[in-house]
Amino acid sequence: MKTLFLYEYKPHCPWIGDFRSLEVLVQGLKKLGHEALISNDPNQIDFFDTIVLSNISTDLTPLEQILHIKNRPFSLIPFHEDFLLYTSIYRSFFAYVANALVSDNPHEAIHFLEYMPDILYYEPFAPKRNALINQSVMAKAEICIANSPSEEKLIQRSCPLAKTSTIFWTSGYVEKDAYRYSAKFIKRFNLPKKGYILQIGRIGPRKNQLATILAARDLELPLVFVATGHFPLENEYLNTCLLAAKKFRKGPTLFLTNAVEEMKENNIEVINVKEGLTTQELMSAYQNAAVYCHPAFYELPGYVYLEAAKLGTPCVASSWSTLKDYFTETMTGSYTLDNRIEYILPYDLKAIKTAILNSLDKSFSPSNHPIFQRTDLDVAKEFLGVMSDSL
């Protein structure tokens, strides 16, 4: 089988989870003797017998129309986020904090947000319409492949006509040899072993670095953001993060990115990591963190959570994600992982701080949970089975 995955990927952001998911699937298919390619070029369509569109965060209807003209069927890996759940309030959160920072009494404004987090619902923004725009794409796809039962329900909610199935992904970049301890990260950036709070991901409102900064404002532990592949359009958000850290953080705050100039001011430092970080350095960053804090407004499921949990790093995770599905027994509904992950509402600053403090007292070994044993071959075999059943 020759499969083309049409996906609008961004070469300057190699760590994006959905691209990694497709990359793993392609690797597995090639190991099984199939030809597979990820491309954003629709001119490749005629050279492949199976077409898979991907990611409804962009408007896929032009590609659907091209395929219709060519009389070519297609499948879909939508990466369907719950846009109705989070895309209004994450804008409200950003707006509230940005306004608070330039108000006469920013500390009082943040204290009030901590006291009454639901104040954000009184200043609503319209939710993104991505799923609505792509409803016809979901309806016409031969099969829509979700990465969890929760995502499958989202697809069916957005498009009752959609035909769906579920395939769990792997656990990101953590391979077997990553279990070996490495001090590369802390040596490179002069950080204490098990003495800093870590968050990895591009800097933007959905990833919610602001909540981490504000929740950890009274903590003296270093706070480290790894943000290689930073989107230039998010500069306003980055500047708000820098200002929030400057006004509120007691401990040092370190931004590791490759998109902005270096700077150092009081307790804030930006280091331009032009060449990015190696996979081993990323794994070392997890291994040496006291806690991994990532209160994203939505993740699907969030490779960073899976990587941290697999390596044994206590984790503060958003309850607005599909992560729990990866540790929930299908038949019984039982949660099958230990308490290395604490789930919080992404805008509840008090809950995030409490979860951080609770996590600091925890210690875990790398996990051998079955979800962490999944390989690219497992994903590829299940993909082929789903595609065969949809014919």
Side-chain angles (χ1 to χ4, degrees):
M1 185 169 75
K2 297 172 63 176
T3 304
L4 175 66
F5 297 91
L6 280 175
Y7 167 78
E8 189 179 338
Y9 65 90
K10 301 170 180 64
H12 60 285
C13 298
W15 303 106
I16 291 179
D18 49 10
F19 177 75
R20 174 57 179 166
S21 301
L22 295 178
E23 189 178 49
V24 167
L25 177 50
V26 166
Q27 288 172 355
L29 289 172
K30 288 182 177 179
K31 287 180 182 179
L32 293 172
H34 298 274
E35 185 175 337
L37 176 70
I38 304 171
S39 174
N40 55 11
D41 181 9
N43 292 314
Q44 298 273 357
I45 289 172
D46 292 335
F47 302 104
F48 291 83
D49 50 48
T50 301
I51 309 298
V52 181
L53 304 185
S54 187
N55 201 327
I56 62 168
S57 291
T58 57
D59 183 0
L60 297 178
T61 54
L63 291 175
E64 175 212 324
Q65 291 166 1
I66 292 172
L67 290 164
H68 176 72
I69 291 170
K70 290 177 173 288
N71 195 28
R72 295 293 306 276
F74 66 91
S75 296
L76 175 67
I77 299 179
F79 296 106
H80 191 327
E81 300 168 9
D82 195 341
F83 302 108
L84 291 178
L85 174 67
Y86 84 89
T87 59
S88 173
I89 198 165
Y90 90 137
R91 293 174 176 178
S92 296
F93 184 86
F94 180 25
Y96 183 98
V97 174
N99 289 333
L101 288 172
V102 296
S103 68
D104 293 335
N105 196 334
H107 289 273
E108 182 178 319
I110 298 304
H111 276 302
F112 185 74
L113 176 60
E114 192 172 54
Y115 164 72
M116 188 182 176
D118 286 346
I119 189 67
L120 300 171
Y121 286 100
Y122 288 93
E123 297 182 15
F125 288 76
K128 289 185 177 181
R129 302 170 67 87
N130 306 61
L132 192 61
I133 291 170
N134 285 290
Q135 190 180 62
S136 66
V137 181
M138 289 184 276
K140 294 175 183 177
E142 298 284 300
I143 190 72
C144 296
I145 300 176
N147 67 32
S148 67
S150 292
E151 188 193 359
E152 188 170 5
K153 290 177 183 176
L154 279 178
I155 298 168
Q156 293 165 350
R157 185 189 73 186
S158 297
C159 182
L161 293 177
K163 299 174 286 294
T164 60
S165 187
T166 293
I167 297 175
F168 285 106
W169 300 128
T170 62
S171 53
Y173 283 90
V174 179
E175 305 296 344
K176 288 183 179 179
D177 60 354
Y179 282 143
R180 291 198 291 267
Y181 173 75
S182 170
K184 278 193 171 185
F185 183 78
I186 55 176
K187 286 181 178 178
R188 180 176 177 182
F189 299 107
N190 193 29
L191 290 163
K193 183 177 180 180
K194 295 297 181 181
Y196 58 92
I197 303 166
L198 176 68
Q199 183 170 347
I200 298 175
R202 64 186 180 274
I203 296 176
R206 182 169 69 83
K207 298 298 183 181
N208 204 19
Q209 286 86 358
L210 271 178
T212 304
I213 291 168
L214 296 174
R217 65 189 185 277
D218 295 328
L219 304 181
E220 296 186 359
L221 284 176
L223 175 56
V224 181
F225 294 107
V226 177
T228 53
H230 166 68
F231 283 103
L233 293 178
E234 304 285 3
N235 279 336
E236 181 183 356
Y237 186 81
L238 172 60
N239 291 334
T240 303
C241 287
L242 293 171
L243 182 58
K246 179 181 178 181
K247 286 197 173 188
F248 292 110
R249 280 276 295 150
K250 286 185 178 179
T253 306
L254 177 62
F255 293 84
L256 306 177
T257 180
N258 56 3
V260 294
E261 295 300 317
E262 293 192 343
M263 61 88 73
K264 190 171 185 179
E265 182 180 346
N266 299 328
N267 64 331
I268 304 170
E269 184 174 6
V270 177
I271 298 179
N272 192 320
V273 189
K274 292 183 175 63
E275 71 284 8
L277 299 179
T278 66
T279 301
Q280 187 177 26
E281 285 174 326
L282 280 172
M283 298 306 105
S284 176
Y286 288 119
Q287 290 173 324
N288 291 285
V291 57
Y292 183 79
C293 183
H294 192 92
F297 276 95
Y298 206 78
E299 291 290 357
L300 199 71
Y303 272 140
V304 287
Y305 298 139
L306 294 170
E307 290 165 349
K310 184 172 184 177
L311 290 170
T313 307
C315 185
V316 178
S318 172
S319 59
W320 286 0
S321 73
T322 62
L323 180 63
K324 280 187 179 180
D325 286 12
Y326 278 62
F327 306 111
T328 300
E329 213 285 320
T330 305
M331 298 298 294
T332 65
S334 300
Y335 189 72
T336 56
L337 190 65
D338 53 29
N339 66 339
R340 67 184 61 203
I341 300 177
E342 293 220 14
Y343 297 89
I344 45 79
L345 275 176
Y347 59 92
D348 189 336
L349 300 181
K350 187 180 292 185
I352 297 169
K353 180 180 179 181
T354 299
I356 292 173
L357 293 174
N358 289 342
S359 297
L360 292 176
D361 295 329
K362 297 177 181 178
S363 178
F364 299 95
S365 299
S367 173
N368 289 315
H369 188 283
I371 203 69
F372 298 134
Q373 310 309 311
R374 285 179 63 77
T375 67
D376 52 1
L377 287 174
D378 295 323
V379 177
K381 288 175 183 177
E382 291 175 21
F383 171 80
L384 293 172
V386 167
M387 297 299 288
S388 176
D389 290 344
S390 67
L391 296 177

